[in-house]
Amino acid sequence: MDPSCGFSPGNVAALLQLLLFGGVVGLYFPQKEYTETVYVGQPAGTPILQVHAMLDSRSERPHFYLCGGRRPVFTLWFQMDVQTGELSLSKMLDETDFASLYQNSWPVKRLSLQVMALNNFSKRAACISRNSAHITLDFVNASIPQCAQTDMKELCFPHRDTSNPHIIENRFPGVLRQLRRLTRLSVCPNYTISYSVESETPAPFAVNGNTSELVVTAPLDREESENYRLLLACTVQTETVITKVETSLDVFVDDEDDNAPYVNGTDTVDVVISFNRTKGAAFGTLFVFDRDLTTLFPKDLSQNRYVGTLLNSEPWIKDTFDIKGTFSERRAAPGGIRESVYDYQLILKRNLEITENLSVYLDYLVNDTTYPGLEGTVLLHFNVTILPVQIYFTNITHVFTLSRKASVYAQVGRICVENCLEFDGFSVTYQLEVPDKNISAEMLSCYSAISITQAPDRMLGLLYVNNSHALSKPGCQDLEYTVVAQEEHTQLMTSTQIRILLHGEANVSQESQQLLSCAENKQRDECESSQGLGATTGTCKWRQGSEKGISENYSTCSPDLPTCPDSVCDAVESKDTSICPQDCTTESVTGGHERGLSGSGIRAGYGTCYCFSEKCFCEIADAEDVVSKNSK
């Protein structure tokens, strides 16, 4: 290409790269916010401030315009130099001009302008947010301070200019900021003012001594440094003294898509699906890395430039599997450069039947759509094996012991098919059956002593006392049952035998009294002499807390310490909240406590916790008697 056109081969390649990236091509403002102060009596032509536009190539020539729709008349007080970007007064402002801004009294008023940078001339410029900057002018109804009243920092730097410049990586170097405060050029004409720039790390920045402008001297690479902390020094020299004023400036480097995605490790994962077959379950993880922050820049384009495609076309695969990608950021080292990390997982789109048994191989194409060239894709492989689930008991017979004094709702034990606690996506139900249905009515009444209920997750069966009266009958001896487990969809079933060994003497007093909740007892002696719902030995048990403050090991009275309280309102306890309100209450709790994770029960309490009609109290022992009387 002819060099006289203003393009070098490197510039042409960069421009083509930008076009392929789909990013911001052309002029842009490194500084989006400008501020300055305007005073009464400043003459026409007084420079206010100067804006700068960064270029993509030497051929670009920025043209600056005050832009917008219908603008107030006082915007005509200012003019923008089309070639240089310098904003100046088009007339001298007096107090009547200032008074016309607002009718009420004021010390300072504020005016907002917008400036646009174009690569050609325009008679009327409409503001486009990507290529425009915002100017804020403070109007002060007073004369500009004289040199003797001007602070050195006010002379060197705008007092409200807190905006930090952003430079897009890989772009053409150039001027990004005017350091000299233009409104103060005539305030101290005998002072010599100069600027310098320093950085803790090597940085391609310098100051043009002739124009007092901060310049970036080379294209920046965000993958080398995301920001630069610069120290700007202003040296003011008079006939008698030299004063140095410093301020810091952070220059941020904005990202663009100039790095290809890559796999750091493996692009293949083996997935085995067995017990967890539920819709939405996630399996396997493959990571794709990108040195770019690909979802964060540019902000005016799509926020997700990564596109993933499942290459398998079989309907069964598309109906069963999906691949989900999750975006995050990481730093390769503490304080290092951020990069993008995508983790991709296999997702089930439906519940799998427990009989499904096969192997499939899924290919998933990850495409960085805004990266140019053939290296913008990564192919991931998911090797999936679906194993069937067997429904069976490992033991032919299960044996449980039970006191004849046990109260109604006392828990006898748990029954579970092999691996049941790992099941998800399907359900197993349990039924309790009498081995011989032809037995006498008298014997059949004995078997009413025990029942089975389904746990909330429908994977576990809980055996409990259903009829405590049957336990007291002399004719009711050890009990044998059959437990049948059945999967809900396939109806596959298995069974096991259970034996309930009864011991001790029956508690005949249960027949003539209504059992209360063990949780009502707030003293140890009261607790251990009381009978209560769910008590495995007929009498309640005391748990003595040993810690101060709110503790999970609070003192309380329980029907069965292994199950109450354990922060779980299980299937038996939920049949009557009086069994274990410490796990199941949803009513108010008075005193220091922590609720259970599901919002029910008392996970931790202060001192001793006890309950009446589901309303619970947690308190130290000295105050218990008063609270007990008031609550009753």
Side-chain angles (χ1 to χ4, degrees):
M1 182 173 288
D2 186 356
S4 64
C5 295
F7 289 93
S8 67
N11 288 334
V12 173
L15 182 59
L16 290 175
Q17 186 182 49
L18 291 169
L19 290 170
L20 288 169
F21 285 151
V24 179
V25 178
L27 303 169
Y28 71 97
F29 285 98
Q31 183 174 337
K32 302 289 284 187
E33 301 285 340
Y34 294 85
T35 61
E36 196 40 274
T37 304
V38 179
Y39 293 87
V40 170
Q42 291 179 289
T46 298
I48 303 299
L49 55 82
Q50 184 172 349
V51 299
H52 295 90
M54 301 291 291
L55 315 179
D56 278 327
S57 69
R58 293 183 186 275
S59 65
E60 290 184 324
R61 294 294 181 267
H63 301 78
F64 298 93
Y65 303 92
L66 292 177
C67 62
R70 298 178 59 185
R71 299 196 298 273
V73 65
F74 46 78
T75 60
L76 300 177
W77 299 346
F78 305 92
Q79 59 187 8
M80 175 68 68
D81 189 303
V82 175
Q83 301 292 340
T84 65
E86 182 181 278
L87 181 72
S88 61
L89 286 172
S90 58
K91 59 168 293 185
M92 185 181 73
L93 303 180
D94 55 29
E95 292 184 359
T96 59
D97 294 316
F98 276 56
S100 67
L101 286 173
Y102 300 92
Q103 297 303 316
N104 55 332
S105 60
W106 53 279
V108 177
K109 293 301 176 184
R110 190 162 292 166
L111 172 65
S112 294
L113 301 173
Q114 276 189 287
V115 59
M116 179 95 169
L118 300 175
N119 199 28
N120 49 30
F121 286 102
S122 175
K123 293 183 178 179
R124 184 177 181 84
C127 288
I128 301 175
S129 60
R130 190 190 71 194
N131 287 349
S132 65
H134 187 261
I135 299 174
T136 299
L137 299 177
D138 288 337
F139 287 82
V140 178
N141 191 16
S143 299
I144 189 169
Q146 298 301 307
C147 186
Q149 289 79 41
T150 301
D151 180 82
M152 289 298 177
K153 195 164 188 176
E154 290 283 306
L155 186 65
C156 289
F157 305 109
H159 71 287
R160 285 202 314 112
D161 193 354
T162 58
S163 60
N164 292 306
H166 286 248
I167 300 176
I168 303 174
E169 66 170 335
N170 306 319
R171 301 306 171 94
F172 199 76
V175 179
L176 67 138
R177 197 180 187 97
Q178 170 60 252
L179 300 182
R180 184 72 187 270
R181 196 170 182 184
L182 301 185
T183 57
R184 299 299 194 270
L185 289 177
S186 60
V187 171
C188 300
N190 296 327
Y191 288 7
T192 301
I193 300 176
S194 60
Y195 293 86
S196 62
V197 59
E198 299 175 3
S199 175
E200 295 179 356
T201 58
F205 295 93
V207 175
N208 185 322
N210 296 324
T211 62
S212 300
E213 292 174 316
L214 181 63
V215 180
V216 56
T217 59
L220 302 180
D221 185 353
R222 192 205 66 88
E223 286 71 53
E224 292 183 1
S225 179
E226 289 193 85
N227 69 285
Y228 295 89
R229 169 60 64 93
L230 305 181
L231 182 66
L232 302 177
C234 173
T235 303
V236 181
Q237 183 174 356
T238 68
E239 294 180 356
T240 58
V241 66
I242 297 177
T243 304
K244 189 175 184 180
V245 180
E246 296 180 335
T247 188
S248 62
L249 178 69
D250 288 315
V251 179
F252 295 93
V253 185
D254 284 346
D255 190 30
E256 66 181 9
D257 195 354
D258 59 346
N259 289 275
Y262 67 96
V263 174
N264 186 10
T266 180
D267 60 1
T268 302
V269 63
D270 295 324
V271 173
V272 177
I273 300 175
S274 180
F275 302 129
N276 185 359
R277 310 170 85 87
T278 187
K279 177 182 179 180
F283 303 92
T285 302
L286 288 174
F287 293 96
V288 175
F289 300 89
D290 193 325
R291 298 189 69 200
D292 299 311
L293 301 178
T294 52
T295 63
L296 303 182
F297 179 83
K299 295 182 175 60
D300 56 346
L301 298 179
S302 171
Q303 291 296 300
N304 184 8
R305 298 186 295 165
Y306 263 54
V307 174
T309 305
L310 184 62
L311 299 183
N312 302 69
S313 59
E314 294 87 342
W316 184 88
I317 291 180
K318 289 191 172 183
D319 292 340
T320 305
F321 301 108
D322 194 8
I323 306 296
K324 180 181 179 182
T326 303
F327 167 78
S328 61
E329 292 180 0
R330 75 164 192 177
R331 296 183 187 273
I337 305 302
R338 293 175 298 160
E339 68 176 6
S340 299
V341 182
Y342 293 85
D343 62 278
Y344 292 93
Q345 290 186 296
L346 180 76
I347 307 294
L348 285 182
K349 297 175 68 175
R350 62 177 179 87
N351 288 354
L352 298 179
E353 297 285 354
I354 66 170
T355 55
E356 293 186 63
N357 178 19
L358 75 162
S359 295
V360 294
Y361 303 94
L362 308 182
D363 292 328
Y364 190 73
L365 185 67
V366 177
N367 183 14
D368 182 353
T369 59
T370 53
Y371 180 80
L374 301 177
E375 298 178 350
T377 60
V378 172
L379 188 60
L380 305 178
H381 309 280
F382 292 83
N383 300 333
V384 185
T385 300
I386 302 175
L387 300 177
V389 177
Q390 305 295 326
I391 304 296
Y392 66 98
F393 287 103
T394 53
N395 295 334
I396 299 175
T397 302
H398 296 74
V399 180
F400 302 95
T401 59
L402 177 64
S403 171
R404 287 181 179 272
K405 296 181 180 181
S407 304
V408 64
Y409 296 128
Q411 296 197 32
V412 180
R414 301 183 175 193
I415 199 77
C416 176
V417 296
E418 185 69 5
N419 302 308
C420 78
L421 297 181
E422 299 181 52
F423 293 171
D424 199 357
F426 60 97
S427 296
V428 176
T429 58
Y430 298 89
Q431 298 293 328
L432 197 62
E433 296 182 356
V434 178
D436 185 1
K437 297 183 179 179
N438 295 322
I439 60 176
S440 65
E442 181 68 19
M443 285 301 297
L444 195 60
S445 67
C446 292
Y447 283 97
S448 68
I450 307 299
S451 187
I452 194 168
T453 187
Q454 200 75 28
D457 57 10
R458 297 183 59 79
M459 297 300 173
L460 193 70
L462 300 180
L463 297 165
Y464 68 97
V465 174
N466 178 63
N467 182 359
S468 58
H469 175 62
L471 298 179
S472 65
K473 292 182 178 181
C476 295
Q477 300 301 317
D478 295 347
L479 303 172
E480 293 187 1
Y481 300 85
T482 298
V483 175
V484 178
Q486 186 174 45
E487 197 276 325
E488 60 176 342
H489 292 298
T490 63
Q491 303 300 306
L492 292 176
M493 64 176 59
T494 187
S495 64
T496 187
Q497 303 300 312
I498 66 169
R499 294 184 63 196
I500 309 295
L501 304 181
L502 303 178
H503 65 87
E505 296 181 358
N507 188 358
V508 295
S509 63
Q510 287 191 26
E511 301 179 34
S512 59
Q513 71 177 32
Q514 181 180 1
L515 295 179
L516 300 177
S517 173
C518 289
E520 291 189 8
N521 300 291
K522 60 177 182 176
Q523 300 289 346
R524 183 168 194 154
D525 55 348
E526 295 176 354
C527 172
E528 294 178 343
S529 61
S530 299
Q531 299 174 4
L533 290 174
T536 53
T537 61
T539 57
C540 304
K541 297 179 176 61
W542 180 260
R543 185 179 77 173
Q544 180 62 47
S546 58
E547 300 179 26
K548 296 181 180 180
I550 297 177
S551 167
E552 294 184 17
N553 187 38
Y554 55 86
S555 296
T556 194
C557 187
S558 163
D560 183 22
L561 289 176
T563 62
C564 175
D566 63 357
S567 298
V568 176
C569 186
D570 61 41
V572 176
E573 294 169 349
S574 62
K575 290 181 177 295
D576 188 330
T577 52
S578 296
I579 300 171
C580 184
Q582 297 98 318
D583 283 341
C584 299
T585 183
T586 57
E587 301 297 324
S588 63
V589 179
T590 301
H593 70 283
E594 292 179 8
R595 278 287 193 181
L597 298 179
S598 61
S600 64
I602 306 170
R603 180 175 178 269
Y606 176 62
T608 298
C609 296
Y610 57 97
C611 305
F612 298 99
S613 301
E614 295 190 43
K615 187 174 183 180
C616 298
F617 304 85
C618 294
E619 59 186 19
I620 57 175
D622 293 341
E624 287 175 346
D625 292 336
V626 175
V627 175
S628 176
K629 292 177 181 179
N630 292 339
S631 62
K632 292 182 178 179

